[in-house]
Amino acid sequence: MAIETNETREKSLNFLEEIIETDIAKGNARVQTRFPPEPNGYLHIGHAKSICINFGLAQKYGGKCNLRFDDTNPVKEDVEYVDSIKRDIRWLGFEWAQERYASDYFDQLYEWAVELIRKGLAYVDDQTQEQIREGRGTVSVPGRESPWRNRTAEENLDLFERMRRGEFPDGAKVLRAKIDMAHPNMLFRDPIMYRIIHAEHHRTGNKWCIYPMYDYAHGQSDSIEQITHSICTLEFDVHRPLYDWFIQALDIFPSHQYEFARLNLTYTMMSKRKLLKLVQEGVVMGWDDPRMPTICALRRKGYTPASVRAFAEMVGVAKRDNVIDLGKLEYCVREDLNRTAERRMAVLNPLKVVITNYEEGRKEFFTAVNNPEDEAAGTRQVPFSREIYIERDDFMEEPPKKFFRLAPGGEVRLRYAYLIRCEEVVKDAEGNVTELRCTYDPQSGGGSSSDGRRVKGVIHWVSAEDAVKAEVRLFNPLFTKADPDDAEEGRTWEDNLNPESMVRIEGLLEPSLREVPVGRAVQFERVGYFCPDTDSTPERPVFNRTVTLKDSWAKINK
Ligand code: ATP
Ligand code: MG
């Protein structure tokens, strides 16, 4: 085992921790972060990583993390999303210091905009969106100044005030920062600060009809909350100079922005817009369809908060974009569930077995261990009777060498119960095996045998008359391509949807599985991890496959 020294510990700091520790060394000990979702969709695994970073850093350094809704676009936003975001963060195990909204700051942002106008650093532009876009130029061609760029401060103040009062229709005017139309960073070519949108906002109602743009709202909101480390994804690095520009122009609390690489996962679509499309078109059952990469979907699928946090920790914080193997996420939930999930027996592809020397009508119960990794999980009683089901795969008529399960004339142990020997194979007219007729060794209950002979194979089973029928949903990745956006010519990302992303089968469960709460994953021994779905009813239990026992997908697709 490696011994952790001071040196190795320092090396294992991620770059954000390094920045913070440097700040602390300089005497700036306060750590205030924030997680700033736009309430326009459900959080996904990428957001989970951002949450773990922001809340995690605050926790580690005795700081605080705010939850701030970046609600500056009333058209796309909704309270439905606000509520789901709060639920998902709490489910992940984090609690925010303060719940804030960019819309809380609309008055302050407006005042600051007025201040910038007074300083000659902002102006009202009457150009159309199209004209503004054209006038911006390109990376190699400098932009053109707007004919309205040199309005007096008085005129700008008057027009901006009238914009706010609702005198102009959508798109008639915008407020722009007056910076430099030839700036090499395109974002500096007089960025738009406010646009007119006559729409009801989910929090401010009809108070406002002008709304600030991201670049104007975000840094100022950080500053108001005295955020020390404003952490965002890499694509915002070009925005950082503008973030700093507004803060300097207003001479307000100097928050700083730091960028890390966003999480990309193989076989996973992370674009909110495209995920919304899948929901709206009914391709999936909803935002929480277990095939979605959303946090609520992971929860419905049986993932634990600890497994998602472990995944975020495992992938770390990078400065360069990369793509993480979906197998890592599955590995994390498998590891966690191996420790925490209770074991049960269920047969997903049943083959009937009649134990001919076991009395008809007799019933006994065997004691089964709930979790070999956790003694405290205790035991349960599993009913046994003359007719049982085993997994079809656990029988082979002509077994190869080293097949330790059931074969004609062979013997196998039924988990927790008896040894049985296959005496006869019953087939239908087409030659399909429909039933096995076996005998059992009455001395072999609970692990022993009558003469001490050793039997290698142990298989799971369920008692036929006690079995609970359930719909079992087997999930595979939603896309057939590691990069879902990688579409051939004339095709789109939607052509990469996996037609076999959900396979529904009927399974036979041991009766105690009726009692498992929705969302709580258990291990179906030798099969995988499964949890009751929200669609489950007492009459019709529905189970989701959380994850397979082993990583079969990676093997097939390599
Ligand atoms: P939108 O396109 O709607 O802006 P978004 O995915 O950026 O989508 P936000 O609600 O703005 O969604 O994101 C909130 C926070 O989560 C931001 O700080 C953003 O950088 C971070 N985030 C979003 N996607 C990822 C990702 N894939 N990996 C890591 N962090 C992410
Ligand atoms: Mg965003």
Side-chain angles (χ1 to χ4, degrees), residues 283-535:
V283 175
V284 293
M285 300 180 281
W287 282 103
D288 67 347
D289 183 303
R291 292 166 292 178
M292 294 281 275
T294 51
I295 297 178
C296 54
L298 293 172
R299 175 166 63 228
R300 179 171 173 186
K301 199 175 172 183
Y303 274 64
T304 56
S307 67
V308 179
R309 291 195 303 264
F311 172 71
E313 182 69 28
M314 179 193 242
V315 301
V317 186
K319 270 195 201 177
R320 291 240 181 87
D321 276 322
N322 58 359
V323 183
I324 304 289
D325 191 332
L326 178 58
K328 284 194 177 159
L329 178 61
E330 298 187 339
Y331 169 86
C332 289
V333 71
R334 204 178 277 125
E335 284 286 289
D336 188 43
L337 291 177
N338 179 44
R339 278 192 302 274
T340 59
E342 294 203 353
R343 273 58 168 172
R344 293 292 184 270
M345 291 197 286
V347 173
L348 299 192
N349 187 11
L351 174 62
K352 191 173 200 177
V353 172
V354 179
I355 300 163
T356 53
N357 61 338
Y358 195 90
E359 299 88 316
E360 253 172 88
R362 182 178 163 199
K363 167 85 53 86
E364 66 187 304
F365 289 85
F366 286 100
T367 300
V369 174
N370 284 337
N371 184 355
E373 307 280 325
D374 176 14
E375 214 176 303
T379 60
R380 67 188 187 284
Q381 298 296 303
V382 185
F384 183 84
S385 60
R386 188 170 194 265
E387 295 190 354
I388 62 170
Y389 288 101
I390 65 167
E391 214 69 68
R392 211 159 254 283
D393 289 353
D394 283 336
F395 170 76
M396 273 185 107
E397 207 172 1
E398 287 161 37
K401 254 199 189 157
K402 298 211 168 162
F403 181 80
F404 297 120
R405 292 164 278 166
L406 203 54
E411 214 173 15
V412 78
R413 171 161 304 279
L414 296 175
R415 182 91 160 126
Y416 303 117
Y418 297 112
L419 292 171
I420 57 168
R421 181 183 302 281
C422 178
E423 309 285 0
E424 189 189 341
V425 180
V426 183
K427 295 181 184 177
D428 64 13
E430 278 104 59
N432 301 312
V433 177
T434 54
E435 187 181 302
L436 301 179
R437 298 182 73 79
C438 298
T439 53
Y440 83 110
D441 173 355
Q443 308 297 296
S444 67
S448 53
S449 65
S450 51
D451 56 5
R453 69 190 180 283
R454 283 174 55 212
V455 172
K456 262 198 171 159
V458 182
I459 64 173
H460 62 277
W461 52 275
V462 292
S463 159
E465 63 184 20
D466 301 284
V468 176
K469 278 192 189 144
E471 177 183 328
V472 178
R473 298 176 178 167
L474 308 177
F475 300 108
N476 294 310
L478 191 51
F479 293 93
T480 52
K481 286 207 172 157
D483 174 5
D485 281 315
D486 171 23
E488 278 125 50
E489 245 199 80
R491 319 196 103 219
T492 71
W493 62 276
E494 283 165 285
D495 294 309
N496 291 332
L497 282 162
N498 179 3
E500 279 164 39
S501 57
M502 175 163 73
V503 178
R504 299 169 189 233
I505 58 173
E506 188 169 271
L508 296 168
L509 320 181
E510 72 162 83
S512 70
L513 280 165
R514 275 191 191 287
E515 269 110 68
V516 178
V518 167
R520 163 92 56 82
V522 295
Q523 187 191 96
F524 289 180
E525 289 203 44
R526 304 177 60 236
V527 180
Y529 295 95
F530 294 79
C531 77
D533 186 67
T534 45
D535 285 344

Side-chain angles (χ1 to χ4, degrees), residues 35-38 40 44 46-47 49-50 231-233 236 260 262-263 270 272:
F35 174 66
E38 187 177 353
N40 63 352
H44 54 56
H47 297 114
K49 178 175 169 181
S50 176
I231 298 159
C232 63
T233 41
F236 287 96
F260 70 98
R262 66 190 301 120
L263 174 72
M270 220 79 93
K272 270 197 242 175

Side-chain angles (χ1 to χ4, degrees), residues 158-288:
D158 174 59
L159 288 171
F160 188 48
E161 163 67 20
R162 286 164 61 196
M163 276 170 65
R164 185 181 68 84
R165 282 209 305 259
E167 286 187 26
F168 310 113
D170 289 8
K173 293 182 181 354
V174 293
L175 184 74
R176 295 177 78 175
K178 189 171 176 177
I179 309 180
D180 179 359
M181 287 307 290
H183 202 286
N185 182 339
M186 301 283 291
L187 293 171
F188 274 73
R189 298 187 184 176
D190 293 8
I192 297 174
M193 294 168 59
Y194 275 91
R195 70 260 201 240
I196 301 173
I197 307 176
H198 289 271
E200 188 168 311
H201 185 280
H202 67 102
R203 280 177 66 86
T204 55
N206 292 307
K207 177 172 174 195
W208 296 90
C209 62
I210 56 170
Y211 291 93
M213 301 294 289
Y214 173 87
D215 280 318
Y216 179 62
H218 201 87
Q220 280 48 259
S221 301
D222 282 344
S223 180
I224 292 169
E225 292 173 28
Q226 308 218 336
I227 302 298
T228 55
H229 299 82
S230 175
I231 298 159
C232 63
T233 41
L234 225 48
E235 67 273 21
F236 287 96
D237 67 342
V238 290
H239 294 252
R240 189 185 345 108
L242 186 55
Y243 180 104
D244 294 339
W245 187 90
F246 278 119
I247 283 178
Q248 272 156 26
L250 291 165
D251 193 21
I252 54 181
F253 178 85
S255 295
H256 288 287
Q257 177 185 301
Y258 304 91
E259 308 89 20
F260 70 98
R262 66 190 301 120
L263 174 72
N264 300 302
L265 267 184
T266 56
Y267 301 100
T268 306
M269 174 58 71
M270 220 79 93
S271 152
K272 270 197 242 175
R273 183 175 55 80
K274 291 175 184 168
L275 294 176
L276 179 65
K277 191 152 191 257
L278 294 177
V279 173
Q280 284 173 341
E281 290 178 358
V283 175
V284 293
M285 300 180 281
W287 282 103
D288 67 347

